[in-house]
Amino acid sequence: DLGTNEHFLSINGPVPGTHGNLTYYLSGNLYLTDDWGPRLHKLPHHQQQTYRTQGKLTYKLTPSITLRIGGFFNRRQYERYNHSWLYNLEGFDCTLEKANQGYLALTHSVSKSTFYEAKVGYFSNDYTIGRRLDRNFLERTAYDMFPSDTAAAEAFIAEHEDEVWDGQWWKDYEFCEPTPDTSEWRRYRERRQEQNYPLAVDNMFWSHYDTRTFETRESEVITGKFDITSQVDFHNQVKSGFEINSYKIKRHYNSLPW
């Protein structure tokens, strides 16, 4: 049992009161599992939480003009435990992936053989991998800062618990800050090995603190498109148009320490 739960929902049809001129389509998918990549056995700290949704509205302005608006959204987040963290079960990487698209399109049939379509669209894709900022990290930080003052540590936890990911699947992961600023409590602590392990193999397991990786990738595409199509006769079709795209790509990568 991998603790997997998956749910689907899809609805479509005409919007009441529009005489069939306005129709809709909406679908969604929720996927939750305790191990997204099982091997010979179930891995701990290998959860995945994914939800997706897609929708479209179609409106017939006139018998020859149709307007469509739609898009989708996808969010996937998952833990990336491997056995080098066997004795430090909270220091591994986690990943958050988000993608969304939206578009608006107008189709006009000028005649029985000719129509044109104008379309604008937007697409974005974001990817983040790093040490998750969660309750475990907050508690460890609090007791590192106040090792002999339990009351102060508990007060620090209460002050900042709304700033960390609380384990709810519908909430996005929060991530630690890749900064050398020692005044920033969200900063990474460099992973290290401080004890011996079975078989006396050095550097096989990390006993303290965090993964060294932090990376974000962001991309955006804005599109404008126009096409005109004419069916000249049964064997010949003519199509012309143009497309304009704007791209924005960002990447930040840091392998700690600095």
Coordinates of all heavy atoms in Angstrom, one line a residue, residues 71-127:
G71 N -8.1 27.6 -20.5 CA -6.8 27.4 -19.9 C -6.7 26.2 -19.0 O -7.6 25.4 -18.8
F72 N -5.5 26.1 -18.4 CA -5.3 25.0 -17.5 C -4.3 25.4 -16.4 O -3.6 26.4 -16.5 CB -4.7 23.7 -18.1 CG -3.3 23.8 -18.6 CD1 -2.2 23.6 -17.8 CD2 -3.0 24.1 -19.9 CE1 -0.9 23.7 -18.2 CE2 -1.7 24.2 -20.4 CZ -0.7 24.0 -19.5
F73 N -4.3 24.7 -15.3 CA -3.3 24.9 -14.2 C -2.9 23.6 -13.6 O -3.7 22.7 -13.5 CB -4.0 25.8 -13.1 CG -3.0 26.0 -11.9 CD1 -2.0 27.0 -12.0 CD2 -3.1 25.2 -10.8 CE1 -1.1 27.2 -11.0 CE2 -2.2 25.5 -9.7 CZ -1.2 26.4 -9.8
N74 N -1.6 23.4 -13.4 CA -1.0 22.2 -12.9 C -0.1 22.5 -11.7 O 0.8 23.4 -11.9 CB -0.3 21.4 -14.0 CG 0.4 20.2 -13.5 OD1 -0.3 19.3 -12.9 ND2 1.7 20.1 -13.6
R75 N -0.2 21.8 -10.6 CA 0.7 22.0 -9.5 C 1.2 20.6 -9.0 O 0.3 19.8 -8.6 CB 0.1 22.8 -8.4 CG 1.0 23.5 -7.4 CD 1.6 22.6 -6.2 NE 0.9 21.5 -5.7 CZ 0.2 21.5 -4.5 NH1 0.2 22.5 -3.8 NH2 -0.3 20.3 -4.1
R76 N 2.5 20.4 -9.0 CA 3.0 19.1 -8.5 C 4.1 19.5 -7.5 O 5.0 20.3 -7.8 CB 3.6 18.3 -9.7 CG 4.2 17.0 -9.2 CD 4.9 16.3 -10.4 NE 5.5 15.0 -10.0 CZ 6.6 14.5 -10.5 NH1 7.3 15.2 -11.3 NH2 7.0 13.3 -10.1
Q77 N 4.1 18.9 -6.3 CA 5.2 19.0 -5.4 C 5.5 17.7 -4.8 O 4.6 16.9 -4.5 CB 4.8 20.1 -4.3 CG 3.6 19.8 -3.5 CD 3.2 20.9 -2.6 OE1 3.6 22.1 -2.8 NE2 2.5 20.7 -1.5
Y78 N 6.8 17.4 -4.5 CA 7.1 16.1 -4.1 C 8.5 16.1 -3.4 O 9.3 17.0 -3.5 CB 7.2 15.1 -5.3 CG 8.1 15.5 -6.4 CD1 9.4 15.1 -6.6 CD2 7.6 16.4 -7.4 CE1 10.2 15.4 -7.6 CE2 8.4 16.8 -8.5 CZ 9.7 16.3 -8.6 OH 10.4 16.7 -9.6
E79 N 8.6 15.1 -2.5 CA 9.9 14.9 -1.7 C 10.9 14.1 -2.5 O 10.5 13.2 -3.2 CB 9.5 14.3 -0.4 CG 8.5 15.1 0.5 CD 8.0 14.3 1.7 OE1 7.9 13.1 1.6 OE2 7.8 15.0 2.7
R80 N 12.2 14.4 -2.3 CA 13.2 13.7 -3.0 C 14.2 13.0 -2.1 O 15.4 13.1 -2.3 CB 13.9 14.7 -3.9 CG 13.0 15.4 -4.9 CD 13.7 16.6 -5.6 NE 14.9 16.2 -6.3 CZ 14.9 16.0 -7.6 NH1 13.8 16.2 -8.4 NH2 16.0 15.6 -8.2
Y81 N 13.7 12.3 -1.1 CA 14.5 11.5 -0.2 C 15.4 10.5 -1.0 O 14.9 9.8 -1.9 CB 13.7 10.8 0.8 CG 14.4 9.8 1.6 CD1 15.2 10.2 2.7 CD2 14.4 8.4 1.3 CE1 15.8 9.2 3.5 CE2 15.0 7.5 2.0 CZ 15.8 7.9 3.1 OH 16.5 6.9 3.8
N82 N 16.6 10.3 -0.6 CA 17.4 9.2 -0.9 C 18.2 8.7 0.3 O 18.2 9.3 1.3 CB 18.3 9.5 -2.1 CG 19.4 10.5 -1.8 OD1 20.2 10.3 -0.9 ND2 19.3 11.7 -2.5
H83 N 18.8 7.5 0.2 CA 19.3 6.9 1.4 C 20.6 7.6 2.0 O 21.0 7.2 3.1 CB 19.6 5.4 1.1 CG 18.4 4.6 0.9 ND1 17.3 4.6 1.8 CD2 18.0 3.7 -0.1 CE1 16.4 3.8 1.4 NE2 16.8 3.2 0.2
S84 N 21.1 8.6 1.3 CA 22.2 9.3 2.0 C 21.7 10.1 3.1 O 22.4 10.6 4.0 CB 22.9 10.2 0.9 OG 22.0 11.2 0.5
W85 N 20.3 10.3 3.2 CA 19.7 11.0 4.3 C 19.1 10.0 5.3 O 18.2 10.4 6.1 CB 18.7 12.0 3.8 CG 19.3 13.0 2.9 CD1 19.3 13.0 1.5 CD2 20.0 14.2 3.3 NE1 20.0 14.1 1.1 CE2 20.4 14.8 2.1 CE3 20.3 14.7 4.5 CZ2 21.1 16.0 2.2 CZ3 21.0 15.9 4.6 CH2 21.4 16.5 3.4
L86 N 19.5 8.8 5.3 CA 18.9 7.8 6.2 C 18.9 8.1 7.6 O 17.9 7.8 8.4 CB 19.6 6.4 5.9 CG 19.0 5.2 6.7 CD1 17.6 4.9 6.3 CD2 19.9 4.0 6.5
Y87 N 20.0 8.8 8.1 CA 20.1 9.1 9.5 C 19.8 10.6 9.8 O 20.1 11.1 10.9 CB 21.5 8.8 10.0 CG 21.7 7.3 9.9 CD1 22.4 6.8 8.8 CD2 21.2 6.4 10.8 CE1 22.7 5.4 8.7 CE2 21.5 5.0 10.7 CZ 22.2 4.5 9.7 OH 22.4 3.2 9.5
N88 N 19.2 11.3 8.8 CA 18.8 12.7 9.0 C 17.6 12.9 8.0 O 17.7 13.4 6.9 CB 20.0 13.6 8.6 CG 19.7 15.1 8.7 OD1 18.7 15.5 9.3 ND2 20.5 15.9 8.0
L89 N 16.5 12.5 8.5 CA 15.4 12.3 7.6 C 14.7 13.5 7.1 O 13.7 13.5 6.4 CB 14.3 11.3 8.3 CG 14.7 9.9 8.4 CD1 13.7 9.1 9.1 CD2 15.0 9.3 7.1
E90 N 15.1 14.7 7.5 CA 14.5 15.9 7.1 C 15.3 16.9 6.3 O 14.9 18.0 6.0 CB 14.0 16.7 8.4 CG 13.0 15.9 9.3 CD 11.7 15.6 8.6 OE1 11.4 16.2 7.6 OE2 11.0 14.6 9.1
G91 N 16.5 16.4 5.9 CA 17.4 17.4 5.3 C 17.5 17.3 3.8 O 18.3 18.0 3.1
F92 N 16.6 16.5 3.2 CA 16.7 16.2 1.7 C 16.0 17.3 0.9 O 15.3 18.2 1.4 CB 16.0 14.9 1.4 CG 14.6 14.8 2.1 CD1 13.5 15.3 1.4 CD2 14.5 14.2 3.3 CE1 12.3 15.2 2.0 CE2 13.2 14.1 3.9 CZ 12.1 14.6 3.2
D93 N 16.2 17.2 -0.5 CA 15.5 18.1 -1.4 C 14.0 17.9 -1.5 O 13.5 16.8 -1.3 CB 16.1 17.9 -2.8 CG 17.5 18.3 -3.0 OD1 18.0 19.2 -2.2 OD2 18.2 17.7 -3.8
C94 N 13.3 19.0 -1.8 CA 11.9 18.9 -2.2 C 11.8 19.7 -3.5 O 12.5 20.7 -3.8 CB 11.0 19.4 -1.2 SG 10.9 18.3 0.3
T95 N 10.8 19.4 -4.3 CA 10.5 20.1 -5.6 C 9.1 20.6 -5.7 O 8.2 19.9 -5.3 CB 10.8 19.2 -6.8 OG1 12.2 18.8 -6.7 CG2 10.5 19.9 -8.1
L96 N 9.0 21.8 -6.2 CA 7.7 22.4 -6.5 C 7.6 22.8 -8.0 O 8.5 23.5 -8.5 CB 7.4 23.6 -5.7 CG 6.2 24.5 -6.0 CD1 4.9 23.7 -5.8 CD2 6.2 25.8 -5.2
E97 N 6.6 22.3 -8.7 CA 6.5 22.6 -10.2 C 5.1 23.1 -10.4 O 4.1 22.6 -9.9 CB 6.6 21.3 -11.0 CG 8.0 20.6 -10.8 CD 8.0 19.3 -11.6 OE1 7.0 18.9 -12.1 OE2 9.1 18.6 -11.5
K98 N 5.0 24.3 -11.1 CA 3.7 24.9 -11.4 C 3.7 25.3 -12.8 O 4.7 25.9 -13.3 CB 3.5 26.1 -10.5 CG 3.5 25.8 -9.0 CD 3.4 27.0 -8.1 CE 2.0 27.7 -8.2 NZ 1.9 28.8 -7.2
A99 N 2.6 25.1 -13.5 CA 2.4 25.5 -14.9 C 1.0 26.0 -15.1 O 0.1 25.4 -14.5 CB 2.8 24.4 -15.9
N100 N 0.8 27.0 -15.9 CA -0.5 27.5 -16.2 C -0.6 28.1 -17.6 O 0.4 28.7 -18.1 CB -1.1 28.4 -15.1 CG -0.3 29.7 -15.0 OD1 -0.6 30.7 -15.8 ND2 0.7 29.8 -14.2
Q101 N -1.7 28.0 -18.2 CA -1.9 28.6 -19.5 C -3.3 29.2 -19.6 O -4.3 28.7 -19.0 CB -1.8 27.5 -20.6 CG -2.0 28.0 -22.0 CD -2.4 26.9 -23.0 OE1 -3.3 26.1 -22.7 NE2 -1.7 26.8 -24.1
G102 N -3.4 30.3 -20.3 CA -4.7 30.9 -20.6 C -4.7 31.4 -22.0 O -3.7 31.8 -22.5
Y103 N -5.9 31.4 -22.6 CA -6.0 31.9 -24.0 C -7.4 32.5 -24.3 O -8.4 32.2 -23.6 CB -5.7 30.8 -25.0 CG -6.8 29.7 -25.1 CD1 -7.9 29.8 -25.9 CD2 -6.6 28.6 -24.3 CE1 -8.9 28.8 -25.9 CE2 -7.6 27.6 -24.3 CZ -8.7 27.7 -25.1 OH -9.7 26.8 -25.1
L104 N -7.4 33.4 -25.3 CA -8.7 34.0 -25.7 C -8.6 33.9 -27.3 O -7.7 34.3 -27.9 CB -8.8 35.4 -25.3 CG -10.0 36.2 -25.8 CD1 -11.3 35.6 -25.3 CD2 -9.9 37.7 -25.4
A105 N -9.7 33.3 -27.9 CA -9.7 33.1 -29.3 C -11.0 33.6 -29.9 O -12.1 33.3 -29.4 CB -9.4 31.7 -29.7
L106 N -10.9 34.2 -31.1 CA -12.1 34.6 -31.8 C -12.1 34.0 -33.2 O -11.1 34.1 -34.0 CB -12.2 36.1 -32.0 CG -13.3 36.7 -32.8 CD1 -14.6 36.5 -32.1 CD2 -13.0 38.2 -33.1
T107 N -13.1 33.3 -33.6 CA -13.2 32.7 -35.0 C -14.4 33.3 -35.7 O -15.5 33.3 -35.2 CB -13.4 31.2 -34.9 OG1 -12.3 30.6 -34.1 CG2 -13.4 30.5 -36.3
H108 N -14.1 33.7 -36.9 CA -15.2 34.4 -37.7 C -15.3 33.7 -39.1 O -14.3 33.7 -39.9 CB -14.9 35.9 -37.9 CG -16.0 36.6 -38.6 ND1 -15.7 37.9 -39.2 CD2 -17.2 36.3 -39.0 CE1 -16.8 38.3 -39.8 NE2 -17.8 37.3 -39.7
S109 N -16.4 33.2 -39.4 CA -16.6 32.6 -40.8 C -17.1 33.7 -41.7 O -18.3 34.1 -41.6 CB -17.6 31.4 -40.7 OG -17.1 30.4 -39.9
V110 N -16.2 34.2 -42.6 CA -16.6 35.3 -43.5 C -17.6 34.8 -44.6 O -18.5 35.5 -45.0 CB -15.3 35.8 -44.1 CG1 -15.7 37.0 -45.0 CG2 -14.4 36.3 -43.0
S111 N -17.3 33.5 -45.0 CA -18.2 32.9 -46.0 C -18.2 31.4 -45.8 O -17.6 30.9 -44.8 CB -17.7 33.3 -47.4 OG -16.5 32.6 -47.7
K112 N -18.9 30.7 -46.6 CA -18.9 29.2 -46.5 C -17.5 28.6 -46.7 O -17.3 27.5 -46.2 CB -19.9 28.6 -47.5 CG -21.3 28.9 -47.2 CD -22.3 28.3 -48.2 CE -23.7 28.6 -47.9 NZ -24.6 27.9 -48.9
S113 N -16.6 29.3 -47.3 CA -15.3 28.7 -47.6 C -14.2 29.4 -47.0 O -13.0 29.0 -47.1 CB -15.1 28.7 -49.2 OG -15.1 30.0 -49.7
T114 N -14.4 30.5 -46.3 CA -13.3 31.3 -45.7 C -13.6 31.7 -44.2 O -14.8 32.1 -43.9 CB -13.1 32.6 -46.5 OG1 -12.8 32.3 -47.9 CG2 -11.9 33.4 -45.9
F115 N -12.6 31.5 -43.4 CA -12.7 32.0 -42.0 C -11.4 32.4 -41.5 O -10.3 32.1 -42.1 CB -13.3 30.8 -41.1 CG -12.3 29.7 -40.9 CD1 -11.5 29.7 -39.8 CD2 -12.2 28.6 -41.8 CE1 -10.6 28.7 -39.6 CE2 -11.3 27.6 -41.5 CZ -10.5 27.6 -40.4
Y116 N -11.4 33.2 -40.5 CA -10.1 33.6 -39.8 C -10.3 33.4 -38.3 O -11.4 33.4 -37.8 CB -9.8 35.1 -40.2 CG -10.7 36.1 -39.6 CD1 -10.6 36.6 -38.3 CD2 -11.7 36.7 -40.4 CE1 -11.4 37.6 -37.8 CE2 -12.5 37.7 -39.9 CZ -12.4 38.1 -38.5 OH -13.2 39.1 -38.0
E117 N -9.1 33.3 -37.7 CA -9.0 33.2 -36.2 C -8.0 34.1 -35.7 O -6.8 34.1 -36.2 CB -8.7 31.7 -35.8 CG -8.7 31.5 -34.3 CD -8.4 30.1 -33.9 OE1 -7.2 29.7 -34.1 OE2 -9.3 29.4 -33.4
A118 N -8.3 34.8 -34.6 CA -7.4 35.7 -33.9 C -7.2 35.1 -32.5 O -8.3 34.8 -31.8 CB -7.8 37.1 -33.9
K119 N -6.0 35.0 -32.0 CA -5.8 34.3 -30.7 C -4.7 35.0 -29.9 O -3.6 35.3 -30.5 CB -5.5 32.8 -30.9 CG -5.4 32.0 -29.6 CD -5.2 30.5 -30.0 CE -5.2 29.6 -28.8 NZ -5.1 28.2 -29.1
V120 N -4.9 35.2 -28.6 CA -3.8 35.6 -27.7 C -3.7 34.6 -26.6 O -4.8 34.0 -26.2 CB -4.1 37.0 -27.2 CG1 -4.0 38.1 -28.3 CG2 -5.4 37.1 -26.5
G121 N -2.5 34.3 -26.1 CA -2.3 33.3 -25.1 C -1.2 33.7 -24.2 O -0.3 34.5 -24.5
Y122 N -1.2 33.0 -23.0 CA -0.2 33.2 -22.0 C 0.2 31.8 -21.4 O -0.7 31.0 -21.1 CB -0.6 34.1 -20.9 CG 0.3 34.2 -19.7 CD1 1.4 35.0 -19.8 CD2 0.1 33.5 -18.6 CE1 2.3 35.1 -18.7 CE2 1.0 33.5 -17.5 CZ 2.1 34.3 -17.6 OH 2.9 34.4 -16.5
F123 N 1.5 31.5 -21.2 CA 1.9 30.3 -20.6 C 3.0 30.6 -19.7 O 3.9 31.4 -20.0 CB 2.3 29.3 -21.7 CG 2.9 28.0 -21.1 CD1 2.1 27.0 -20.6 CD2 4.3 27.9 -21.1 CE1 2.7 25.9 -20.0 CE2 4.9 26.7 -20.5 CZ 4.1 25.7 -20.0
S124 N 3.0 30.0 -18.5 CA 4.2 30.1 -17.6 C 4.5 28.7 -16.9 O 3.6 27.9 -16.8 CB 3.8 31.1 -16.5 OG 2.9 30.6 -15.6
N125 N 5.7 28.6 -16.6 CA 6.2 27.3 -16.0 C 7.3 27.7 -15.0 O 8.2 28.4 -15.3 CB 6.8 26.4 -17.1 CG 7.1 25.0 -16.5 OD1 6.3 24.4 -15.8 ND2 8.3 24.5 -16.9
D126 N 7.1 27.2 -13.7 CA 8.0 27.5 -12.6 C 8.4 26.3 -12.0 O 7.6 25.3 -11.7 CB 7.3 28.4 -11.6 CG 6.8 29.8 -12.1 OD1 7.5 30.3 -13.1 OD2 5.8 30.3 -11.7
Y127 N 9.7 26.2 -11.6 CA 10.3 25.0 -11.0 C 11.2 25.5 -9.9 O 12.1 26.3 -10.1 CB 11.1 24.2 -12.1 CG 11.9 23.1 -11.6 CD1 11.4 21.8 -11.6 CD2 13.2 23.3 -11.1 CE1 12.1 20.7 -11.2 CE2 14.0 22.2 -10.7 CZ 13.4 20.9 -10.7 OH 14.2 19.8 -10.3

